[in-house]
Amino acid sequence: MSMPDYTLGLFANMYPAYEGDYRGIFIRQMVQDLEARDVIVHKAVKTTPSPLGYIPFYAESLRLCRSPDLDLMQAEYIPHSSLVPALLGRRDIPLVLKFHGDDARVFPLKNRLYRKITSAMIRRADFVITASEEMQKPLISLGLDPERCAVIHTGVDTGFFTCGSRDKARMALGLPSDRTIFLFLGRLHPWKGIHEIVEVARQCPAHSFVFVGPGIVPDHSSNCRFTGQMAKEEIRTWLRAADCLLLPTYTEAVPASVMEAFACGIPAITTDAGGCPEIVEDGKTGLLVPVRDVNALRNAVEWMDRNPEERVRMGALGRIVVYERYDHEILVKKMKGIHIHLIQNYR
């Protein structure tokens, strides 16, 4: 049995409580990847959406951030997860902050207090990781040193999410073979563009729109289908059965659902918001539309329906993109390299 390379203390105010729980699912994948590479990970995590969940979370965070066993601390989602380790944690080991999206581009802009809190967290950190390139700009304006930050995307398991037979997937799911199927994957939240998809579905009755994830929209047309939460294996089958992923999000880092779709060889229609343009190259691996623009979204849907050969070409190129740039093996290796460098060179 090999000796562990180091021990990480992880703090996250979103973490899956059960299979099919989407909250912080990519953080759990990161933990599993690090543990598979000889890293011991001790966690203080919040597994309930209730605000009351912060009481045990902060209590566990306080215990963990003072543990003598740690070589490094990393907080996910700032400042909610970083408050305790930043203010009360050990000062003789490095602290890493990882920003995932709105904690970088929305939270600091709400008011002067939030801006000061985020700035204080950045000054306290020894290193900052962002989930997309566009997040770095607002953080630099808050005092982030560009030499103390790196971009590490969420990543996708390209060995699990792979291309497969569309016909076999549709047969397994009882889906017709002659309809164009557009798939949404994730939590059914308004800022994901759910209502825009439902409106496009009303205007495009010849196509099918499937929503895979927790939640439902009460007022929808008959060509909408809601599956609820699903296990990874079922998600992969739905991706293989679909013709195109839809994610008309208002704000996002580099979306995990797009990476999973690309890994399964299907293109994506998403918006030009946040980090989406970092993975979707308009006209090559998918289509980009403006935020909240139903007409543009409908036009993109119709284009995908009319151009099946282009869909296949886009999906194949998307598979290459995620395999070369977003495979979780590549990204966790980069994160582990940063961790080891910080531990070995800590003041």
Side-chain angles (χ1 to χ4, degrees), residues 71-92:
D71 297 305
L72 179 87
M73 297 183 292
Q74 180 162 312
E76 312 278 334
Y77 297 107
I78 314 304
H80 302 81
S81 297
S82 62
L83 285 172
V84 173
L87 298 177
L88 303 173
R90 290 172 53 188
R91 296 297 179 113
D92 59 334

Side-chain angles (χ1 to χ4, degrees), residues 244-263:
C244 181
L245 183 87
L246 287 184
L247 182 65
T249 181
Y250 301 171
T251 177
E252 200 85 24
V254 174
S257 61
V258 172
M259 287 187 266
E260 291 167 357
F262 281 4

Side-chain angles (χ1 to χ4, degrees), residues 16-93:
Y18 50 86
E19 186 63 35
D21 185 359
Y22 287 87
R23 293 174 298 111
I25 190 170
F26 38 84
I27 298 175
R28 184 180 64 186
Q29 181 64 59
M30 179 194 71
V31 168
Q32 293 170 346
D33 289 340
L34 288 170
E35 289 177 334
R37 289 157 183 80
D38 299 319
V39 177
I40 294 176
V41 182
H42 296 314
K43 304 185 296 292
V45 296
K46 179 175 175 285
T47 57
T48 170
S50 169
L52 294 177
Y54 276 103
I55 298 174
F57 169 57
Y58 283 143
E60 181 62 18
S61 295
L62 182 60
R63 184 201 63 78
L64 180 59
C65 73
R66 294 177 175 177
S67 169
D69 299 327
L70 302 183
D71 297 305
L72 179 87
M73 297 183 292
Q74 180 162 312
E76 312 278 334
Y77 297 107
I78 314 304
H80 302 81
S81 297
S82 62
L83 285 172
V84 173
L87 298 177
L88 303 173
R90 290 172 53 188
R91 296 297 179 113
D92 59 334
I93 58 174

Side-chain angles (χ1 to χ4, degrees), residues 104-314:
R105 69 172 79 91
V106 176
F107 179 84
L109 302 179
K110 286 186 175 181
N111 56 53
R112 184 177 297 179
L113 175 61
Y114 289 175
R115 184 179 178 88
K116 287 184 176 180
I117 291 173
T118 304
S119 181
M121 293 295 104
I122 291 172
R123 291 196 304 272
R124 166 66 180 88
D126 297 286
F127 201 82
V128 169
I129 296 171
T130 61
S132 64
E133 294 175 9
E134 48 84 28
M135 283 185 214
Q136 292 190 353
K137 185 175 180 179
L139 296 180
I140 289 173
S141 72
L142 293 175
L144 174 63
D145 181 356
E147 298 298 318
R148 292 193 302 112
C149 65
V151 176
I152 300 182
H153 302 102
T154 301
V156 62
D157 185 350
T158 59
F160 178 84
F161 288 100
T162 58
C163 302
S165 169
R166 174 179 173 273
D167 292 337
K168 286 183 179 179
R170 291 198 176 191
M171 186 177 298
L173 296 169
L175 300 173
S177 60
D178 58 346
R179 285 176 71 94
T180 305
I181 296 178
F182 294 89
L183 182 75
F184 170 87
L185 174 59
R187 289 184 298 137
L188 273 63
H189 195 285
W191 62 263
K192 292 282 190 179
I194 295 299
H195 296 298
E196 285 80 357
I197 298 176
V198 170
E199 179 56 34
V200 169
R202 289 194 183 96
Q203 299 178 22
C204 301
H207 312 323
S208 295
F209 296 81
V210 179
F211 299 78
V212 176
I216 191 169
V217 180
D219 183 17
H220 60 268
S221 53
S222 60
N223 58 337
C224 291
R225 176 172 175 175
F226 300 85
T227 70
Q229 293 177 332
M230 310 213 84
K232 281 178 62 176
E233 292 77 11
E234 295 172 299
I235 291 172
R236 181 176 59 188
T237 302
W238 276 105
L239 284 168
R240 289 173 174 175
D243 293 296
C244 181
L245 183 87
L246 287 184
L247 182 65
T249 181
Y250 301 171
T251 177
E252 200 85 24
V254 174
S257 61
V258 172
M259 287 187 266
E260 291 167 357
F262 281 4
C264 291
I266 68 169
I269 298 172
T270 187
T271 61
D272 52 8
C276 296
E278 293 178 26
I279 184 171
V280 177
E281 189 172 358
D282 191 32
K284 292 189 176 181
T285 56
L287 299 175
L288 295 174
V289 299
V291 172
R292 302 174 190 261
D293 192 330
V294 172
N295 289 334
L297 183 61
R298 184 194 65 242
N299 291 338
V301 163
E302 294 288 13
W303 187 93
M304 284 289 184
D305 174 64
R306 292 194 307 268
N307 295 276
E309 292 182 359
E310 284 296 297
R311 287 201 311 262
V312 173
R313 182 190 63 79
M314 287 178 168

